[in-house]
Amino acid sequence: MSDATAKSLAEFDEDLAGARMKGQWQFDRLLETLVGGPRPAGVPHLWSWNDINAKLLEACDVLPESFTARRNVAFMNPGLERGTSHTMVMGMQMLKPGEIAWSHRHTMAAIRFVVDGHPELVTVVDGERCPMEDNDLILTPRWTWHDHHNGAERNCTWLDALDIGLVLALNNGFYETLGEVRQPELDRTGHTQRYAWRDLEPVLLSMASEDGSPYDGIVLEYVNPVTGGHTLPTISCRIQMLRPGERTQPHRHTSSGIYHVVRGAGTTTVDGIDLEWTDRDCFVIPNWAEHSFVNQSATEEAILFSVHDIPALVALGLYRESPERSPGVAPWPGVPADA
Ligand SMILES: [Fe+2]
Ligand SMILES: [Fe+2]
């Protein structure tokens, strides 16, 4: 075809659109926005324990019973349509004395971290009875049956975190209820989805004089009891200690992280925004946002629990850190399943 009869580029783009096609030249501007990496999804944000607890207590009045849908308030990132980060959601759940949250399962993987527990507060995971004492971690891997029972004589509270954003982005959500309020408990001796705080805390405190990571202080990852790898295929769980007065160096990574303050007081600076935290607060660090931590106490350690979407990114070859790969993330072994 001669130049005289060639269509203009704008006309050709319109023709292609009519044929349900698009020339790659139309994506150049999109690619240019990715020089240096993605823009963080969502914004840094903190949810204070005072606000969370007040809303949960109110929810106990508004929802007189906790049925299958759960009495959980999820933390909504102000910069996202849904979720705490773009891949994960964290929330807190409260059960009143004697309540049972009905048995169900879903393709979203979940973890529970106990905020205000009791030996008679229990999660059952595929038949395994897991007591929920303060700061214990309980896993409910993808598609495992789980129900929660409060046998204590007071309200109990825990954190839930799930990979909802990721699973829904992949359009792979499945959900079903058991049809019974509770599943049968099985003899699962040697099998565990539970990491007891009473075992972990002394190990963490004993590491206070080690070098740790310049970006996180002393940090341990909970190791999956079956695979020996990341906590779950999509979520890694970490416990972190900032020594008195410790200040970490800034870094960033392609993963997002959601944090819960086990104890202590400090500041996390995320892309220039200071998040001031204290006991039981929760906050989010979006993906590829630069961040650093300060323990504001000169005498007490600060301890943070956190969840990250690192395993999903590692599996896809998408995980990056800047300015370097962090050293010093040590494993905290789970008890081998069916040992
Ligand atoms: Fe669930
Ligand atoms: Fe980090």
Side-chain angles (χ1 to χ4, degrees):
M1 189 176 287
S2 75
D3 286 345
T5 57
K7 293 170 184 167
S8 70
L9 183 57
E11 289 169 332
F12 185 50
D13 286 343
E14 201 171 317
D15 274 4
L16 283 173
R20 306 304 301 160
M21 296 182 197
K22 192 166 188 171
Q24 189 178 334
W25 53 89
Q26 294 185 69
F27 293 104
D28 281 358
R29 192 169 297 168
L30 169 66
L31 287 170
E32 282 161 13
T33 67
L34 301 180
V35 173
R39 296 199 180 95
V43 296
H45 193 78
L46 180 141
W47 293 263
S48 76
W49 166 247
N50 283 345
D51 285 351
I52 299 164
N53 190 44
K55 295 301 183 198
L56 283 172
L57 289 171
E58 200 174 344
C60 285
D61 295 331
V62 176
L63 289 89
E65 294 188 73
S66 179
F67 295 123
T68 188
R70 277 57 171 153
R71 190 186 295 108
N72 169 297
V73 293
F75 308 145
M76 294 289 108
N77 189 307
L80 294 173
E81 281 188 20
R82 66 176 177 222
T84 315
S85 81
H86 64 311
T87 54
M88 300 179 289
V89 68
M90 180 183 276
M92 263 199 220
Q93 184 165 172
M94 184 176 277
L95 273 189
K96 295 195 288 189
E99 284 188 326
I100 299 174
W102 292 4
S103 196
H104 72 194
R105 64 179 177 175
H106 34 69
T107 49
M108 283 71 81
I111 64 93
R112 329 275 160 204
F113 187 83
V114 184
V115 175
D116 189 2
H118 188 279
E120 294 303 318
L121 176 71
V122 169
T123 286
V124 183
V125 186
D126 268 358
E128 181 196 349
R129 180 184 175 88
C130 299
M132 301 175 79
E133 298 188 64
D134 287 1
N135 305 321
D136 288 351
L137 173 69
I138 314 286
L139 308 182
T140 50
R142 209 177 297 300
W143 208 236
T144 51
W145 292 110
H146 51 283
D147 41 74
H148 315 291
H149 311 217
N150 185 2
E153 294 180 351
R154 57 175 175 75
N155 292 345
C156 288
T157 308
W158 66 86
L159 278 179
D160 303 283
L162 300 92
D163 57 2
I164 289 180
L166 181 67
V167 172
L168 294 187
L170 296 170
N171 201 21
N172 266 264
F174 290 79
Y175 166 77
E176 65 184 18
T177 56
L178 183 63
E180 306 285 338
V181 172
R182 55 200 301 173
Q183 61 185 301
E185 291 179 22
L186 307 173
D187 179 10
R188 304 296 295 271
T189 309
H191 183 284
T192 189
Q193 302 288 356
R194 174 179 185 241
Y195 301 79
W197 180 247
R198 84 166 84 88
D199 297 333
L200 171 51
E201 185 182 25
V203 174
L204 186 65
L205 296 177
S206 75
M207 297 176 73
S209 61
E210 296 193 13
D211 288 345
S213 158
Y215 306 104
D216 289 301
I218 300 294
V219 60
L220 294 165
E221 178 172 359
Y222 297 78
V223 168
N224 185 282
V226 177
T227 66
H230 288 297
T231 319
L232 289 169
T234 50
I235 298 175
S236 56
C237 298
R238 293 181 171 186
I239 196 80
Q240 171 180 0
M241 175 169 62
L242 301 167
R243 278 72 57 99
E246 183 163 10
R247 292 174 171 269
T248 68
Q249 295 175 26
H251 79 160
R252 61 181 176 170
H253 27 73
T254 50
S255 57
S256 56
I258 314 174
Y259 288 74
H260 167 70
V261 182
V262 174
R263 63 173 185 256
T267 307
T268 299
T269 304
V270 188
D271 278 347
I273 296 171
D274 289 338
L275 303 175
E276 310 280 355
W277 42 258
T278 187
D279 295 358
R280 296 183 170 181
D281 292 348
C282 297
F283 60 92
V284 60
I285 301 176
N287 65 307
W288 208 233
E290 188 178 78
H291 55 279
S292 57
F293 299 90
V294 179
N295 179 353
Q296 298 290 7
S297 171
T299 56
E300 304 295 324
E301 71 273 358
I303 297 180
L304 303 172
F305 170 80
S306 56
V307 295
H308 307 261
D309 49 11
I310 293 171
L313 298 176
V314 168
L316 295 170
L318 293 170
Y319 186 66
R320 291 186 185 208
E321 294 182 36
S322 174
E324 59 170 337
R325 188 68 184 256
S326 317
V329 181
W332 167 246
V335 176
D338 296 317

